[in-house]
Amino acid sequence: MDFKIIFDQKKCIGSGVCESLCPQFWHVTPELKSELKGAASKGDGVFELDIEEKDLSCNKLAADGCPPGCMQILDLKTGQFVKLDK
């Protein structure tokens, strides 16, 4: 895997931007909280999912469009967070 998505669900407002831009990874629940499909819970509302480079583009768009900014993407090769366009 090339990247890790780190998602803080407690900060999520359920806008649905992530799901509309990257539905293969994101889903908004009836409780109006986004879910990162297949992610592992790290406790305290934080979820992580490793992804391949081919999946970076739509997830970066989702992170860029997230109103509360509750997701980050870590480059596992460099150890640096992917710069968002916000």
Side-chain angles (χ1 to χ4, degrees), residues 10-72:
K10 293 183 318 282
K11 294 180 182 176
C12 178
I13 62 171
S15 71
V17 171
C18 55
E19 183 178 38
S20 67
L21 295 171
C22 197
Q24 61 269 43
F25 285 90
W26 297 95
H27 169 71
V28 178
T29 70
E31 295 81 28
L32 296 179
K33 290 287 187 177
S34 292
E35 288 182 338
L36 178 56
K37 297 176 184 177
S41 174
K42 296 300 177 181
D44 202 27
V46 176
F47 295 85
E48 295 182 354
L49 180 69
D50 291 344
I51 60 169
E52 297 177 14
E53 187 164 355
K54 68 179 181 64
D55 299 315
L56 176 62
S57 181
C58 80
N59 280 292
K60 185 174 179 302
L61 287 173
D64 284 333
C66 179
C70 56
M71 59 184 88
Q72 296 178 296

